[in-house]
């Protein structure tokens, strides 16, 4: 009987090795180990064996059954593993991206050159104790003109072609609205909400109904600056102008200060920068004159202080209105202001900083 059991196991072992599916393995298991299986069949004749023979056959039969069970478990787990590996090989998803793929298919973002320069200027002024203010794009006549010493019939209104929200000749409207033509509107708001001494800058977008060219846009950016206190002089103004230019250009740039007329300052100046696009040889940016108007400024007119609720007998101050886009053009050698708002990635990505 022991020989029969050995033969049965050898036969079982040969068969199980050839099987390749789990149901076949389970069928083989019940064929050999089931209640009416082949092993039980052999053991039926145990009743005819002697006590001595039974002592030998019993453990042998149990050992063979255990071994067969182990073989079944191991075969089933081998088949399961093979099935998983096959699925992995056939349904492969690569969840990793190599650096090569990243560099060719994706773009990292970056700041617009105007944002870079604006942030640099903000940092410079913050370090000198200035506040940074903001104001609305849609303004009323009071903040854009009247409070800045430009009454309704003043010819200076023609200096800034205005986008009105309705017919400006319609007298019935008490407050006419417009798109602000300059950031000087924030001077008025700044004065109204502060008590001297104070100093602030105010960067922002402004709008003018103008024909565009290499140095003129209809939507462009200025950066206003204002300092009010006792005994503020032109030398304070010149110091801050020089500081901006030195910090931004990190080199000596040639500038000239000439008298300039703005109803909200007295005296008023125009600060021009020597054109860095053509090195003053003459180009479309500087209109062939070699100089670019960049930074008008002056001492705040007493009427403007009054309109802002400040006593002009006690306080005075300076103000400036930097042409931010033109500064960016000079800094980076951009030969047409229209590139700045073109949204052309070939232009923008040249300034990517990370
Ligand atoms: C003004 O707007 C005054 N509010 C500036 C000022 C503030 C003077 C405080 C005195 C005291 P102006 O119109 O010149 O001034 O514009 C200021 C600057 O904005 C110009 O020097 C120029 O650099 C820029 N600028 C003017 N018009 C345009 C335009 N169409 N496109 C691009 N930049 C312009």
């Amino acid at each position: 009987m022991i020989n029969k059991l050995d033969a049965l196991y050898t036969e079982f072992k040969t068969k199980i090795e050839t099987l390749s599916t789990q149901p076949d393995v389970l069928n083989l298991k019940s064929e050999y180990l089931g209640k009416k299986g082949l092993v039980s069949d052999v053991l039926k004749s145990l009743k005819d064996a002697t006590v001595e023979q039974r002592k030998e056959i019993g453990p042998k039969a149990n050992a063979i059954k255990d071994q067969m069970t182990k073989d079944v478990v191991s075969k089933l787990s081998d088949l399961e593993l093979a099935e998983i590996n096959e699925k992995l090989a056939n349904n492969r998803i690569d969840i990793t991206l190599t650096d090569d793929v990243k560099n060719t298919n994706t773009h990292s973002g970056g700041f617009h050159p105007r944002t870079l320069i604006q942030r640099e200027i903000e940092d410079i002024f913050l370090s000198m104790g200035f506040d940074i203010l903001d104001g609305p794009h849609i303004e009323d006549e009071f903040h854009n003109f009247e409070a800045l010493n430009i009454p309704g019939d003043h010819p200076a209104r023609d200096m800034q072609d205005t986008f009105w929200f309705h017919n400006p000749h319609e007298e019935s409207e008490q407050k006419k609205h417009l798109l602000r033509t300059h950031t000087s509107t924030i001077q008025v708001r700044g004065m109204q909400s502060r008590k001297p001494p104070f100093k602030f800058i105010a960067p922002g977008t402004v709008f003018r109904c103008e024909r565009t060219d290499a140095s003129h846009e209809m939507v462009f950016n200025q950066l206003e600056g204002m300092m009010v206190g006792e005994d503020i002089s032109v030398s304070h103004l010149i110091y801050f102008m020089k500081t901006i230019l030195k910090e931004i250009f990190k080199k000596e740039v040639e500038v000239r200060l000439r008298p300039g007329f703005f109803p909200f300052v007295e005296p008023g100046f125009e600060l021009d920068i020597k054109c860095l696009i053509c090195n003053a040889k003459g180009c479309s940016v500087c209109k062939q004159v070699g100089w670019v108007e960049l930074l008008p400024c002056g001492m705040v007119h007493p009427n403007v202080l009054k309109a802002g609720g400040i006593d002009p007998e006690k306080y005075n101050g300076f103000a400036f209105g930097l042409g931010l886009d033109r500064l960016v053009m000079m800094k980076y050698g951009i030969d047409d202001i229209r590139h700045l708002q073109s949204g052309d990635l070939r232009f923008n990505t040249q300034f990517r900083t990370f």
Side-chain angles (χ1 to χ4, degrees):
M1 198 182 297
I2 284 183
N3 288 346
K4 270 190 183 171
L5 285 171
D6 281 339
L8 211 54
Y9 179 69
T10 311
E11 185 187 289
F12 169 86
K13 192 77 182 151
T14 314
K15 280 188 182 169
I16 199 168
E17 272 162 18
T18 62
L19 299 181
S20 56
T21 70
Q22 293 185 350
D24 288 347
V25 175
L26 293 172
N27 285 341
L28 187 76
K29 182 185 171 198
S30 56
E31 185 187 340
Y32 281 80
L33 294 171
K35 270 190 188 161
K36 295 181 181 171
L38 296 172
V39 176
S40 300
D41 234 17
V42 172
L43 294 177
K44 268 184 195 159
S45 45
L46 200 61
K47 59 183 186 327
D48 304 326
T50 63
V51 175
E52 287 308 309
Q53 282 173 328
R54 281 188 199 182
K55 277 186 186 166
E56 197 187 347
I57 294 166
K60 177 74 181 174
N62 284 338
I64 283 181
K65 279 194 208 166
D66 285 351
Q67 189 54 49
M68 283 179 170
T69 307
K70 278 186 193 158
D71 290 346
V72 167
V73 170
S74 143
K75 182 73 183 180
L76 286 175
S77 104
D78 286 353
L79 288 175
E80 192 179 3
L81 194 65
E83 195 181 341
I84 290 171
N85 284 337
E86 193 189 334
K87 275 189 189 157
L88 284 175
N90 293 336
N91 305 319
R92 195 155 182 269
I93 300 170
D94 186 359
I95 55 166
T96 61
L97 271 181
T98 63
D99 274 355
D100 294 358
V101 177
K102 273 186 214 155
N103 291 339
T104 52
N105 289 349
T106 59
H107 298 285
S108 59
F111 289 114
H112 189 277
R114 190 193 308 113
T115 308
L116 295 173
I117 295 288
Q118 184 179 318
R119 289 190 176 183
E120 231 180 289
I121 299 177
E122 286 174 0
D123 282 348
I124 297 164
F125 278 96
L126 279 174
S127 74
M128 295 191 292
F130 281 66
D131 293 335
I132 299 178
L133 304 193
D134 198 3
H137 288 179
I138 297 176
E139 270 292 8
D140 52 40
E141 275 194 291
F142 175 76
H143 288 92
N144 201 82
F145 292 124
E146 279 160 30
L148 291 163
N149 203 25
I150 317 175
D153 52 358
H154 198 291
R157 287 210 180 189
D158 298 340
M159 290 163 75
Q160 302 178 356
D161 293 320
T162 309
F163 287 110
W164 294 93
F165 278 98
H166 60 85
N167 185 350
H169 305 298
E170 198 165 341
E171 297 298 329
S172 60
E173 291 283 341
Q174 272 205 322
K175 291 270 173 226
K176 296 171 192 161
H177 283 85
L178 50 91
L179 284 173
R180 71 179 178 199
T181 56
H182 52 177
T183 45
S184 299
T185 53
I186 310 173
Q187 277 189 37
V188 183
R189 293 180 180 280
M191 285 187 287
Q192 286 172 331
S193 59
R194 291 176 154 63
K195 295 226 170 310
F198 58 76
K199 45 191 187 297
F200 59 79
I201 57 165
T205 305
V206 300
F207 311 83
R208 289 187 197 173
C209 184
E210 287 192 1
R211 189 187 294 270
T212 64
D213 60 28
S215 58
H216 289 83
E217 263 288 14
M218 288 201 282
V219 178
F220 60 100
N221 294 268
Q222 294 184 337
L223 187 138
E224 198 77 7
M226 187 176 217
M227 182 173 188
V228 172
E230 290 179 53
D231 300 325
I232 306 287
S233 71
V234 174
S235 39
H236 289 105
L237 171 61
I238 290 173
Y239 168 79
F240 285 107
M241 305 294 96
K242 277 188 170 169
T243 304
I244 304 178
L245 297 174
K246 193 172 83 202
E247 295 286 336
I248 293 298
F249 287 99
K250 315 265 188 292
K251 65 174 185 185
E252 281 296 319
V253 284
E254 229 175 296
V255 293
R256 68 179 186 190
L257 198 64
R258 59 187 169 91
F261 172 71
F262 302 93
F264 30 96
V265 284
E266 181 55 41
F269 308 100
E270 282 280 8
L271 187 142
D272 302 332
I273 185 169
K274 201 164 196 177
C275 184
L276 297 174
I277 306 295
C278 61
N279 209 12
K281 289 192 183 71
C283 67
S284 56
V285 173
C286 63
K287 307 275 177 300
Q288 313 303 330
V289 294
W291 295 92
V292 177
E293 281 179 16
L294 184 70
L295 221 172
C297 51
M299 301 305 291
V300 184
H301 196 288
N303 288 351
V304 175
L305 291 171
K306 252 189 256 166
I310 291 168
D311 179 1
E313 299 294 328
K314 189 163 179 210
Y315 299 106
N316 67 346
F318 69 72
F320 61 85
L322 168 69
L324 200 52
D325 304 80
R326 292 198 188 158
L327 181 69
V328 174
M329 291 169 75
M330 294 298 126
K331 166 78 183 178
Y332 291 115
I334 298 165
D335 62 6
D336 196 314
I337 195 170
R338 290 165 291 199
H339 287 311
L340 291 172
Q341 241 131 243
S342 64
D344 188 336
L345 281 179
R346 289 170 303 177
F347 171 79
N348 290 355
T349 50
Q350 295 174 74
F351 306 93
R352 197 184 297 156
T353 49
F354 56 87

